[in-house]
């Protein structure tokens, strides 16, 4: 079932659905999709809707860029406590993506800068076009990351590389960011949204409990001691096999009704 596009949050977000995949679009192209608190609230509403009616989601930007980060015009006028509350709003909203119920794939075009990179880091799979670029210019702006980047981006690419980006303000291309671990797939220009949607449709076919466990158990296990992590893994693995869907899928595999894992295509064709 296809649900035609509509807007949310006074037009800041577009929302559509293709089967089990929700398509969430950042819709402020004249500002390179710079994020304000009002924008973040609308994004949270779209994520909540996707969670209630889809099994995976794609996050993308309208226009040439994914997201240029924080709307500095709004941020520069905030009193101290309001700035803290704004940062915590971003934290809560991005957490509903990272530790949510459905996988979210980001389709990255153009700039993923500052808060835009932080938003992408909260998604589970990042698909970037060849010309996409990443930057953390906070050092040159006299500010600091406030959307969870010090945790999520640092875990993806390491604190040393993140520190380099913040101190120097340099941009990093998609291919290098893939080598660093910040990008999952690099695709030709013009193909990020299509590829991200294909991946989302594929992961939407997984058992919902397994997807939920991947999203919520893996990050927590990563922060545990080895012994605690292995114990938690045993509990989650056992719970997963107890679901009716897992039992049916295992029967299908044993009865040769399910496809086997195939080797990837050779790079030389």
């Amino acid at each position: 079932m296809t649900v035609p596009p509509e807007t949310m949050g006074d037009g800041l977000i577009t929302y559509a659905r293709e089967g089990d995949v929700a398509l969430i679009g950042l819709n402020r192209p004249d500002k390179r999709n710079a994020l304000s608190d009002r924008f973040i609230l609308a994004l949270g509403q779209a994520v909540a809707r996707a969670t209630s009616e889809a099994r995976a989601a794609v996050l993308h930007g309208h226009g040439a860029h994914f997201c240029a980060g924080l709307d500095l015009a709004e941020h520069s006028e905030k009193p101290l406590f309001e700035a803290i509350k704004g940062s915590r709003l971003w934290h809560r909203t991005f957490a509903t993506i990272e530790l949510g119920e459905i996988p979210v794939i980001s389709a990255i075009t153009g700039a993923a800068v500052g808060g835009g990179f932080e938003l992408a880091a909260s998604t589970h799979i990042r698909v970037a076009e060849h010309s996409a670029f990443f930057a953390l210019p906070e050092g040159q702006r006299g500010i600091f990351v406030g959307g969870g980047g010090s945790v999520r981006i640092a875990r993806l690419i390491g604190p040393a590389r993140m520190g380099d980006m913040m101190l120097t303000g340099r941009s990093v291309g998609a291919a290098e960011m893939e080598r660093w671990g910040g990008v999952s797939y690099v695709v030709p220009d013009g193909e990020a949204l299509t590829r991200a949607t294909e991946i989302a449709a594929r992961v939407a076919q997984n058992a919902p409990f397994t997807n939920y466990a991947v999203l919520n158990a893996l990050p927590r296990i990563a922060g545990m001691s080895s012994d605690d992590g292995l114990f938690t893994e045993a509990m989650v693995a056992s719970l997963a096999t107890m679901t009716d869907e897992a039992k049916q899928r295992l029967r299908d595999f044993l009865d040769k009704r399910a496809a086997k894992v195939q080797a990837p295509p050779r790079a030389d064709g």
Side-chain angles (χ1 to χ4, degrees), residues 24-71:
I24 301 172
L26 307 177
N27 192 32
R28 200 185 183 192
D30 56 317
K31 296 291 186 179
R32 301 205 305 175
N33 295 319
L35 297 169
S36 62
D37 287 351
R38 190 164 60 92
F39 208 152
I40 294 295
L41 286 169
L43 174 61
Q45 293 168 359
V47 171
R49 177 173 173 181
T51 301
S52 71
E53 63 184 28
R55 296 181 66 160
V58 172
L59 182 63
H60 64 99
H62 289 283
H65 301 281
F66 175 69
C67 178
L70 176 67
D71 185 336

Side-chain angles (χ1 to χ4, degrees), residues 10 31 68 76 79 110 152 160 187 190 197 227 232 239 243-244 253 256:
D10 295 327
K31 296 291 186 179
S76 64
R152 295 189 185 95
V187 299
T197 304
D227 189 53
T232 302
L239 287 169
T243 65
D244 291 339
F253 180 79
K256 296 182 170 39

Side-chain angles (χ1 to χ4, degrees), residues 154-170:
R155 286 176 178 170
L156 284 175
I157 67 175
R161 281 176 169 147
M162 181 178 179
D164 174 9
M165 292 181 70
M166 292 184 70
L167 289 169
T168 65
R170 71 182 177 115

